[in-house]
């Protein structure tokens, strides 16, 4: 019996076979990342993969049977994957896993387009918590949808193919930045300065001298997508960092990518529901709007998840309240991994570490645990047993040192439904930066954790 607790490094513990599995798993993850830059992208990728895995569309008015596999895409931005097990759902509840698939980015304003000094721009409004200076002077891609008059929907994705152009937000040259450099970091780049350059070729012979570049860009957009300027008012378009997920390090032990938060948890939970052979009924959710408070029809504060649970319960004549109270949930979200370069932001005995496995957070929140789910000891005990019984290497920690800041996840919204919930995720470095860093060992361990939870 070990009297002392020591954190384990997954790479040190792994034998040759497991190391191979870790690297293999990460190839699928990188592909998923590259097709899932927005919540719409992630939901569509998951829907396609669900179809390939034998899942069929779900309806609130259907009666589910044991063995059914269903998917419900909520407004294109939030997907529910359901696998009905043979256990009595009233007594056994549902094994629920929730990750979010929205990530910090730059949304377009409703009237985004203007021209100044020979360049055409789109104005943005940032979405989620970002350090604004990180989003300048780098290649950006444009993703989203535009509704045309009459209901036709145009999908736009420009900047991801290597032959595509990209978009660009300028920063001030250091030679002239004495004033800017004296400002605090949060003020150095103003929110209203996050304007992306989208064109510079004037329309020759345009009467409107002041807006001849804008006219030319609008012509291009109209030719390609049939849109006019007013259509931006009925669109959801955003700029995200252009480019693909990449291995990091000579050994390729890590992955840098846009949107690890929280696709690094969404992918393992999705793979787990596909791969598990479980007697339990399992529900995997890709949530939207987590980065802005989980509100709205596609966020986890919406009633939709209760409706899905109720539909499952009603299918078997089970009491939906009993089903909820007997359900268990993993809120699969990232946490801040210990970063030795910024050690003062962390308490090293209670931090999670890169490559040390799935990160379990009993609570999140800020200051005196404000706004936290705080999983009960009994549920922590349950989670420990299933992870330890199934060879899951896991660790636990807080999101940074006390009073340094804080954060939350969707855990509290699931907890509020009377469902035991705990945060289990992956430690991330440079969270919310355009390019975030994770370990291949940790995303694989989260997959094993999700599989153990479904089992
Ligand atoms: Mn997150
Ligand atoms: Mn986040």
């Amino acid at each position: 019996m070990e009297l002392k607790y020591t954190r384990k490094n997954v790479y040190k513990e792994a034998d040759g076979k497991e190391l191979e599995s870790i690297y293999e798993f990460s190839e699928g993850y990188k592909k998923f990342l590259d097709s899932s830059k927005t919540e719409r992208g992630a939901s569509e990728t998951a829907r396609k993969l669900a179809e390939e895995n034998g899942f069929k569309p779900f309806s609130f008015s259907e009666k589910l049977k044991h063995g059914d596999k269903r998917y419900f895409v909520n407004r294109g931005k939030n997907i529910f994957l359901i696998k009905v097990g043979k256990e009595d759902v009233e007594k056994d509840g549902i094994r629920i896993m929730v990750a979010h698939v929205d990530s910090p980015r730059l949304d377009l304003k409703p009237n985004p387009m203007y021209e100044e000094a020979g360049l055409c721009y789109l104005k943005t409004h940032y979405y989620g918590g970002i350090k604004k200076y990180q989003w300048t002077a780098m290649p950006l891609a444009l993703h989203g949808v535009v509704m045309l008059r009459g209901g036709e929907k145009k999908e736009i994705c420009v900047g991801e193919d290597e032959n595509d152009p990209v978009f660009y937000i300028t920063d001030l040259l250091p030679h002239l930045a004495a004033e800017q450099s004296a400002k605090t970091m949060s003020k150095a780049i103003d929110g209203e300065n996050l304007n992306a350059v989208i064109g510079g070729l004037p329309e020759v012979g345009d009467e409107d001298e002041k807006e001849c570049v804008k006219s030319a860009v609008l012509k291009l957009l109209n030719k390609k997508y049939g849109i006019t300027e007013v259509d931006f008012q009925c669109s959801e378009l955003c700029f995200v960092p252009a480019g693909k997920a990449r291995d990091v390090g000579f050994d390729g032990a890590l992955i840098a990518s846009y949107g690890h938060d929280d696709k690094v948890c969404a992918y393992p939970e999705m793979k787990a529901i596909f791969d598990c052979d479980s007697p339990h009924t399992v529900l995997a959710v890709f949530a939207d709007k987590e980065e802005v408070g989980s509100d709205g029809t596609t966020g986890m504060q919406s009633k939709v998840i209760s409706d899905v649970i109720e539909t499952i319960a009603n299918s078997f004549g089970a009491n939906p309240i009993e089903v909820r109270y007997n359900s268990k949930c993993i809120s699969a979200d990232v946490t801040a991994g210990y970063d030795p370069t910024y050690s003062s932001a962390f308490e090293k005995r209670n931090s999670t570490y890169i490559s040390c496995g799935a990160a379990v957070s009993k609570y999140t929140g800020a200051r005196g645990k404000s706004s936290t789910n705080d999983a009960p000891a009994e549920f922590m005990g349950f989670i420990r047993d299933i992870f330890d019984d199934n060879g899951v290497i896991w660790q636990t920690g807080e999101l940074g040192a006390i009073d340094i800041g804080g954060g939350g996840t969707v855990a509290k919204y699931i907890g509020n439904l009377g469902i035991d919930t705990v945060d289990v995720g992956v430690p991330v470095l440079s969270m919310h930066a355009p390019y975030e860093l994770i370990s291949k060992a940790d995303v694989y361990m989260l997959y094993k954790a999700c599989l153990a939870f479904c089992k």
Side-chain angles (χ1 to χ4, degrees), residues 100 102 260-262 290-291 332-335 408-409 431-432:
H100 68 91
D102 61 318
H260 281 313
D261 179 7
D262 186 28
E290 193 277 342
E291 295 295 356
D333 205 344
V334 298
T335 186
T409 65
M431 197 199 291
H432 283 206

Side-chain angles (χ1 to χ4, degrees), residues 24 31 92 102 135 141 185 191 198 200 267-268 274 305 328 345 433 439:
E24 201 184 297
K31 262 198 205 129
D92 189 55
D102 61 318
W135 293 73
M185 213 185 244
I198 61 154
Y267 183 72
F274 291 162
I305 186 167
K328 297 177 173 63
S439 166

Side-chain angles (χ1 to χ4, degrees), residues 37-44 76-77 101-102 105 288-289:
K37 291 241 171 158
T38 63
E39 61 277 5
R40 285 180 192 269
S43 299
E44 177 55 14
K77 305 201 281 185
V101 286
D102 61 318
R105 61 182 189 232
D288 179 30
K289 294 284 180 283

